[in-house]
Amino acid sequence: MWNEFEYLVPNSWAEACNFLASNPYTAKVYAGGTDILVRCREGHLKPEYLVDIKHLPGSRAIGANSDGGISIGAATPLNEIERFLPDRLGFQALRQAVHSVGSYQIRNRASLGGNICNASPAADTVPALLILGAALSIVGAIGERSVPLCDFFLGPGKTVLKQGEIVKSIELPFLDERAVSVYIKTARTKAVDLAQVGVAMLLLPGRRISVALGAVAPKPLRVLAVEEIRPQAVWTKEDLEIVVSQVVAAASPITDLRATAEYRRHLVAVQTGRALRELLSLCSPRENGGMSSEETT
Ligand SMILES: Cc1cc2nc3c(=O)[nH]c(=O)nc-3n(C[C@H](O)[C@H](O)[C@H](O)COP(=O)(O)OP(=O)(O)OC[C@H]3O[C@@H](n4cnc5c(N)ncnc54)[C@H](O)[C@@H]3O)c2cc1C
């Protein structure tokens, strides 16, 4: 059931932040609208004002920084991000994650900032952004701050954003050219469904790995324990089993309409093993300290 609201298009970030800060319970940020309008239509949210951030300076800017990182305006639609991302295996997880959201039409509207700020435990882009070490540039009525994405979520639908604050951009740090990454989403249908489980994995030279999970905990989860694992020379079957068991131990899934907790735990194990094998087959053993997929098969 819709309620009436006013649609506002501010001219500056300061104007938007001040308005949101002065109307703490009645004004909401509006980017692509693919989450917020659904909640308004279902009657779960009854804002008096929707503050459109798509026309603010830089909100849809996307580009490479001089330090080799990438800056993505928070209101940039997912299709634009997919087109922009460097054709390098290190960014493959983010390209796959972006591509897995909804349908082509949804991705034309849906923004990266909206996917993050909605704070769904199953948001597809978040595990990929977590393994890439993303940070958020946040603007508020009294200034700007930077927050690592891993510190942004407090629980389902809850973030560290204070009243009047808006995520302005998503910052990805420099990524080694030899990095390889993957995002594997398991869902009930091939398109237009949230993940039952999402696994993002990054493999860096020196046999360092990063794993993040979606849909298996109250908030997207970076599995810090696996970042300590360093196989001696080559990845063995035992190393792979250690990674899988650490990742499964970190997950705390629930049963809901998409899957049972037990099935989700099973999927985490299967997809973590698959992700690691896939990455090992992609990277050159010499460049990556002797890693080889043959050792793990
Ligand atoms: C049919 C359908 C299929 C979908 N499939 C998927 C899917 O497969 N995977 C998936 O992850 N999601 C999916 N979604 C959810 C949705 O499309 C994404 O979460 C999308 O990225 C949200 O972006 P948006 O710009 O539309 O956000 P909006 O709806 O505009 O905003 C979402 C929330 O974030 C807040 N917000 C937005 N931008 C900012 C900002 N910069 N700063 C502060 N707060 C902000 C808004 O106030 C609101 O609370 C689907 C939605 C639909 C309708």
Side-chain angles (χ1 to χ4, degrees), residues 12 28 65 92 116-117 164-165 181 196 210 224 258 269 282:
S12 68
K28 299 278 172 216
N65 301 325
Q92 177 177 255
I116 296 167
C117 294
E165 283 191 324
S181 73
Q196 293 168 311
S210 233
L224 293 173
R258 289 194 170 78
L282 286 174

Side-chain angles (χ1 to χ4, degrees), residues 12-285:
S12 68
W13 290 96
E15 191 191 323
C17 294
N18 285 329
F19 187 86
L20 289 162
S22 327
N23 297 275
Y25 304 109
T26 50
K28 299 278 172 216
V29 173
Y30 171 91
T34 61
D35 275 318
I36 201 166
L37 290 184
V38 173
R39 280 192 286 150
C40 290
R41 193 183 53 203
E42 289 171 351
H44 298 311
L45 202 63
K46 297 185 177 184
E48 286 176 25
Y49 308 98
L50 287 187
V51 181
D52 192 336
I53 59 163
K54 285 197 298 296
H55 309 283
L56 292 174
S59 69
R60 296 175 63 152
I62 175 164
N65 301 325
S66 53
D67 62 2
I70 292 176
S71 180
I72 304 172
T76 310
L78 299 178
N79 276 343
E80 275 179 41
I81 295 167
E82 190 181 348
R83 282 193 285 270
F84 171 85
L85 281 175
D87 194 17
R88 273 175 33 206
L89 288 173
F91 293 102
Q92 177 177 255
L94 185 54
R95 262 203 316 277
Q96 290 169 329
V98 161
H99 188 80
S100 77
V101 173
S103 62
Y104 184 84
Q105 291 83 349
I106 289 286
R107 298 193 293 275
N108 259 351
R109 293 288 309 173
S111 69
L112 188 59
N115 196 236
I116 296 167
C117 294
N118 197 43
S120 158
D124 277 306
T125 67
V126 176
L129 291 169
L130 283 173
I131 55 165
L132 292 173
L136 304 179
S137 174
I138 296 174
V139 63
I142 53 166
E144 287 197 39
R145 61 184 177 128
S146 172
V147 173
L149 184 62
C150 55
D151 297 335
F152 184 69
F153 301 102
L154 299 175
K158 291 194 170 58
T159 70
V160 300
L161 280 180
K162 297 187 190 119
Q163 212 42 250
E165 283 191 324
I166 308 174
V167 173
K168 196 173 175 186
S169 64
I170 296 94
E171 306 296 329
L172 300 179
F174 167 82
L175 181 66
D176 193 291
E177 299 273 334
R178 295 161 295 170
V180 287
S181 73
V182 69
Y183 176 67
I184 300 178
K185 170 178 180 173
T186 318
R188 293 172 302 173
T189 57
K190 279 200 173 151
V192 199
D193 197 12
L194 287 178
Q196 293 168 311
V197 164
V199 177
M201 190 179 287
L202 173 75
L203 195 50
L204 289 162
R207 304 180 291 282
R208 287 177 296 147
I209 63 167
S210 233
V211 179
L213 303 173
V216 294
K219 47 189 185 171
L221 186 75
R222 182 162 174 173
V223 186
L224 293 173
V226 297
E227 295 179 23
E228 307 299 320
I229 300 169
R230 294 273 199 292
Q232 288 302 310
V234 288
W235 284 84
T236 63
K237 208 168 178 176
E238 288 69 42
D239 295 324
L240 185 137
E241 280 165 12
I242 290 170
V243 171
V244 169
S245 69
Q246 302 258 23
V247 175
V248 172
S252 52
I254 55 162
T255 296
D256 66 10
L257 80 160
R258 289 194 170 78
T260 62
E262 195 185 7
Y263 183 54
R264 281 197 159 99
R265 213 168 270 115
H266 169 73
L267 284 176
V268 169
V270 171
Q271 302 298 35
T272 301
R274 196 179 133 206
L276 187 50
R277 279 192 295 272
E278 208 169 306
L279 293 185
L280 290 172
S281 73
L282 286 174
C283 65
S284 138

